[in-house]
Amino acid sequence: MFDSFIQYHYKALLAIALIFGALIIIFKNRRSDRRKPPLAPDALPILGHSKLFLKDLTKLASIISNSTNPEKFLRFRFPFDDLWVARGSSHIINILSDPKTFDFGPMKSMVLRRILGLLGEVVKVANNDDSGVGSKPLPNTNVPPHKRFNYLEHKATQDFSRPSSHAAFVHHFEENLYYWVEHCEITADAWVTFPDLYTFTRDVIFRTTTDAFFGPHLLQQNPSLAKDIWTFDENVPFLAKGLPNFLNPKAANARTRCRQAFKNWRDFALKGRIPPNELPEWNEVSGLKCMSLRNLVFEQFEEWAQDENSCAASDFAVLFGLTSNIVRATFWFFLETLQSKHDLLPDATNEILRATNTTNSPEANGPPRFTTDKLLSMPLLQSIYAETLRKYVSVLMVRQTRREAKVGSWKIPLGQKVPVCNYSEHMNEQLWNPEGVEHETSTGGEHPISKFWGRRFVRYKGAERRSKAEDHSKSGEQTQATAAKFSTEGLRHKWFPFGFGERICPGRQFAKHQMLLTFALFSRVFDIELMVAEGWKPGPDIQFFGYGIMPPEEKTPFRIRKRRG
């Protein structure tokens, strides 16, 4: 009789069981939520914040950078996971500075698998290495020194930031840039119109930087690489989401072609064996020494040594990381300065003139050369550079707890993903402008953090705002030179465009050199006029929020000609 009762009422009993189970889960979640940060707004049932991260990045950026929300952690819910996004300068710096507690591994794994498309054993080699990238292994690791892949690969890649290697890199970049300026088809006879300042800047910077780092043969052997890498660049947000390739075959195909280009180059450039102590800092075949050092690391690990595709993809990632953000930053530097033709442009030009070394041109009629140290120390140029990075950089840096951690008043459980984003601090009005005035300057007044202000990082000691006539006088230049000072003092916890800690961007010194030199040289050699309404500029493409410097969402037409004499 009992069996027949069960059979007759099984649907009702099943429904009751499901409801009872759901109530238990809801009760447990509510109890658990008491120990979790508050839920970020706009969560959907079941999907949580998936739509926000996939399609509504404008709202996501607004939530993360909302300075009126006092919460230092916001929880974003997904069907199978939660993200605890840390906000607040002290929390972010603590997380990025503590690799013993907050692991970079999951982020690297995502880049290898999703963005670069690597599979199998090579990813396991990186994932299984829990020793960190510091010279001293992290505690509780059993990885022997010769198996520390992440440390060895990181060390080889970072080699280009050594002073002598950096100097070789900068030298070849400068020579490539000067060569382009001297031999380009732009003349003083007529204006040449281009449809987009971004693509123009991109093409010049990509070629001069790539040849300086990898040597000239990479692009000579693979003339379509530039087109393929920018197609890949445009599709990085799609690839990072881990969606099937058939939804966007153009992205996967561009990545495959870039990988093949580097396979071709590796076969040509890295097939010879030169002992590490005999490697020059730079050679025409393989470029900077670090690329040969990286190859030696790959050969130490059987999984990598037998996988040419993965080695090529990893080398391709070096080029992508080297050029993508630098190109975008240079564009914004040019645009913001050129648009401020009655303020930033004349003063920036005066600084460039003071840094010009007219006696150091290899040819009597060649482009002007600069005293590099002087150029890189000019206060306004540095301030425009720093403000460009503050305004347009947004990097979502994901860490995962290796153990239970305490940050502020929150206990973060083992295995919890904790993203941080420099955009939350760069765009926090209360941090930068708590009383409506940034700091004592010669300009005074209010400068909202949402607006580009090229003088934000300049301090003026006792100087009053000069008239435009005084700005362009010799005495005015001398006054500005002695009164103005570039400073990031006190900004350590709210301005960190290159990240922080052991994962800080190794190319940050080159980025500054490249941006300032390119602008200085072009502003001395060419007349450049934007063909847009005064004050107009494109907005940043928010689809790239979290991936570095956001590119422009619209084209900026302009015209250019060489200056006579």
Side-chain angles (χ1 to χ4, degrees), residues 429 431-441 443-448 453 456:
E429 189 76 44
L431 276 181
W432 291 84
N433 210 9
E435 299 176 357
V437 178
E438 164 59 17
H439 51 64
E440 287 286 333
T441 71
T443 56
E446 297 182 3
H447 300 280
W453 182 37
R456 194 177 300 276

Side-chain angles (χ1 to χ4, degrees), residues 205-237:
I205 295 302
F206 179 75
R207 179 108 207 176
T208 52
T209 302
T210 302
D211 285 353
F213 198 96
F214 292 88
H217 295 287
L218 175 61
L219 294 181
Q220 289 175 4
Q221 294 173 343
N222 304 278
S224 66
L225 178 59
K227 177 181 178 181
D228 291 333
I229 200 171
W230 295 116
T231 301
F232 170 84
D233 178 74
E234 293 167 2
N235 289 281
V236 162

Side-chain angles (χ1 to χ4, degrees), residues 44-61:
L44 299 174
I46 301 177
L47 294 176
H49 294 94
S50 301
K51 181 181 177 182
L52 202 65
F53 277 76
L54 290 173
K55 290 187 175 181
D56 200 351
L57 293 171
T58 300
K59 186 171 288 185
L60 175 64

Side-chain angles (χ1 to χ4, degrees), residues 50-345:
S50 301
K51 181 181 177 182
L52 202 65
F53 277 76
L54 290 173
K55 290 187 175 181
D56 200 351
L57 293 171
T58 300
K59 186 171 288 185
L60 175 64
S62 176
I63 292 172
I64 289 178
S65 61
N66 181 7
S67 59
T68 62
N69 188 332
E71 298 295 342
K72 297 302 183 183
F73 277 94
L74 287 176
R75 182 164 51 94
F76 291 84
R77 176 177 288 169
F78 299 89
F80 304 105
D81 201 4
D82 277 359
L83 297 178
W84 291 20
V85 176
R87 307 185 329 142
S89 303
S90 60
H91 285 8
I92 290 176
I93 299 302
N94 288 340
I95 290 169
L96 296 181
S97 301
D98 185 7
K100 296 179 182 179
T101 304
F102 297 95
D103 185 14
F104 176 79
M107 186 169 182
K108 180 169 184 175
S109 180
M110 184 274 289
V111 171
L112 292 177
R113 290 184 293 105
R114 294 184 180 182
I115 297 179
L116 296 182
L118 304 191
L119 301 171
E121 296 301 315
V122 294
V123 177
K124 289 182 182 179
V125 170
N127 289 346
N128 293 338
D129 177 10
D130 61 354
S131 66
V133 298
S135 57
K136 184 179 180 180
L138 294 174
N140 304 317
T141 180
N142 295 318
V143 180
H146 67 284
K147 289 294 184 181
R148 295 188 62 201
F149 174 80
N150 291 330
Y151 161 67
L152 294 171
E153 190 245 359
H154 182 75
K155 180 183 177 183
T157 305
Q158 294 258 353
D159 184 78
F160 85 88
S161 62
R162 281 186 304 104
S164 57
S165 182
H166 173 77
F169 183 22
V170 166
H171 169 73
H172 285 91
F173 169 76
E174 289 182 351
E175 293 308 309
N176 293 342
L177 189 63
Y178 280 108
Y179 182 88
W180 187 93
V181 167
E182 287 191 79
H183 296 88
C184 69
E185 296 182 357
I186 301 170
T187 69
D189 297 330
W191 289 98
V192 181
T193 300
F194 288 90
D196 186 21
L197 179 63
Y198 172 65
T199 55
F200 175 84
T201 307
R202 182 192 73 188
D203 293 344
V204 174
I205 295 302
F206 179 75
R207 179 108 207 176
T208 52
T209 302
T210 302
D211 285 353
F213 198 96
F214 292 88
H217 295 287
L218 175 61
L219 294 181
Q220 289 175 4
Q221 294 173 343
N222 304 278
S224 66
L225 178 59
K227 177 181 178 181
D228 291 333
I229 200 171
W230 295 116
T231 301
F232 170 84
D233 178 74
E234 293 167 2
N235 289 281
V236 162
F238 168 83
L239 293 169
K241 293 178 176 67
L243 300 172
N245 288 338
F246 71 81
L247 295 177
N248 188 351
K250 181 171 70 171
N253 292 338
R255 180 175 63 192
T256 299
R257 291 192 298 270
C258 290
R259 185 173 60 209
Q260 183 59 49
F262 270 85
K263 284 178 65 176
N264 298 339
W265 177 78
R266 286 176 58 82
D267 287 341
F268 167 79
L270 302 178
K271 62 183 179 181
R273 296 211 180 253
I274 304 176
N277 59 341
E278 296 181 13
L279 282 169
E281 294 293 1
W282 190 93
N283 69 87
E284 190 175 277
V285 176
S286 58
L288 285 176
K289 182 178 181 179
C290 78
M291 297 311 298
S292 297
L293 295 177
R294 281 171 49 84
N295 191 53
L296 292 173
V297 172
F298 295 148
E299 291 180 348
Q300 288 182 234
F301 293 83
E302 182 180 356
E303 299 87 347
W304 281 84
Q306 296 178 355
D307 190 342
E308 295 181 357
N309 284 328
S310 294
C311 294
S314 182
D315 284 352
F316 155 56
V318 173
L319 175 59
F320 173 71
L322 180 71
T323 56
S324 178
N325 284 314
I326 280 181
V327 163
R328 295 171 183 175
T330 304
F331 161 77
W332 289 116
F333 188 105
F334 266 75
L335 180 72
E336 294 287 2
T337 309
L338 292 172
Q339 273 289 34
S340 183
K341 58 186 178 182
H342 301 302
D343 180 22
L344 295 181
L345 184 58

